[in-house]
Amino acid sequence: MANKTTEKKKEPFVITEEMIDKATSYLAFTEKLEIVNELAESCIEAVKGIDGIATETQLPIPQLYKERCGAKQYFIMYYFLTKYLHIDIKADEWNDERFDYYAGSHIFNQLERFKSGNAEIKNKVFDILYDFKELKKMLDTEIFNLKESRNDTLNRIQDSISLYASPENIKQLTDLLQKTIGDIEIKQAEVKQKRATPKKAEPTESKK
């Protein structure tokens, strides 16, 4: 029988006190805004099925948008590593494999464990995690606002359609939209169910 070769498992990434000591605990507000503005667009995506409604009704239905599952975590991890911990990773080298390596090393849990150690290091960790939390809140707000702003176009188009469309077309449009929204809610429920069951996560699409 031939000898089987096994790939050597990569050692997990370990955060040290020295690394925390050299870390940045606060990103300037303008720098946070730059990160948020760069990432928000990549964290939303078009809802599938709207093109079919437009074709079937022959009405100018605008595209609906939703948050892209996993994108926020994927992209913001890069900025945490490079901006806070100063790990040298070029943007074009950031991919699923690198994300899995750092996420699989549970870097945030590692930082949490430092909260019970040396007072100076503990305080630095609190500051780092708090500032990163503020960055995530800003990104959440921008994603929400961008999504709502784009989806609001649908309401404006529907108002204009109602001025000239026949009652039959309006009913057909409403029924199709309700069906599409219902399908989306079913898919979201399925995703929640899958999350409740332990399963190996599929890699997200690599994107700068």
Side-chain angles (χ1 to χ4, degrees):
M1 182 181 293
N3 292 329
K4 293 182 179 179
T5 58
T6 57
E7 184 180 352
K8 185 178 179 182
K9 186 177 180 181
K10 194 173 183 180
E11 292 296 323
F13 177 77
V14 177
I15 297 177
T16 64
E17 288 192 1
E18 181 181 5
M19 194 179 298
I20 295 173
D21 185 57
K22 294 179 179 179
T24 293
S25 61
Y26 177 78
L27 294 184
F29 179 69
T30 53
E31 190 169 8
K32 286 189 179 77
L33 285 178
E34 288 176 2
I35 293 172
V36 165
N37 291 333
E38 181 177 342
L39 294 188
E41 184 76 27
S42 298
C43 291
I44 64 172
E45 64 182 0
V47 174
K48 296 179 180 178
I50 300 301
D51 290 343
I53 294 176
T55 300
E56 188 168 344
T57 61
Q58 296 184 341
L59 293 173
I61 309 301
Q63 182 62 62
L64 277 172
Y65 290 86
K66 64 183 180 68
E67 184 170 347
R68 180 180 161 203
C69 184
K72 179 177 64 179
Q73 292 83 351
Y74 177 81
F75 293 122
I76 205 168
M77 172 73 84
Y78 171 79
Y79 284 97
F80 181 78
L81 294 169
T82 57
K83 296 294 186 179
Y84 288 91
L85 299 185
H86 304 298
I87 298 172
D88 185 18
I89 307 174
K90 293 182 174 58
D92 58 3
E93 295 176 349
W94 184 245
N95 53 37
D96 293 342
E97 184 179 356
R98 282 181 176 268
F99 173 84
D100 287 336
Y101 173 60
Y102 290 103
S105 298
H106 305 288
I107 60 175
F108 296 108
N109 281 344
Q110 288 189 48
L111 287 171
E112 290 287 345
R113 295 184 189 111
F114 280 104
K115 289 181 177 181
S116 60
N118 175 282
E120 185 175 348
I121 294 296
K122 177 180 69 174
N123 291 338
K124 184 74 173 287
V125 167
F126 270 103
D127 292 340
I128 293 170
L129 292 177
Y130 178 82
D131 196 66
F132 183 60
K133 181 180 178 181
E134 291 300 299
L135 174 61
K136 288 193 295 183
K137 284 167 60 177
M138 290 173 64
L139 180 57
D140 284 337
T141 299
E142 184 63 17
I143 291 172
F144 177 83
N145 289 341
L146 184 59
K147 184 178 62 176
E148 290 296 300
S149 174
R150 291 193 176 185
N151 288 341
D152 185 58
T153 305
L154 179 63
N155 295 327
R156 296 197 299 271
I157 294 295
Q158 282 182 281
D159 288 342
S160 64
I161 289 173
S162 66
L163 296 177
Y164 60 83
S166 68
E168 292 78 11
N169 278 345
I170 293 175
K171 183 179 186 306
Q172 183 183 21
L173 173 61
T174 302
D175 291 343
L176 285 169
L177 287 175
Q178 288 177 345
K179 181 180 182 301
T180 301
I181 293 171
D183 290 342
I184 293 170
E185 290 175 346
I186 290 173
K187 289 294 183 184
Q188 290 176 335
E190 290 175 352
V191 170
K192 289 181 181 179
Q193 181 63 33
K194 288 180 181 179
R195 286 177 179 171
T197 305
K199 181 180 177 183
K200 183 178 180 181
E202 295 182 0
T204 56
E205 178 186 352
S206 298
K207 184 172 180 182
K208 181 176 176 182

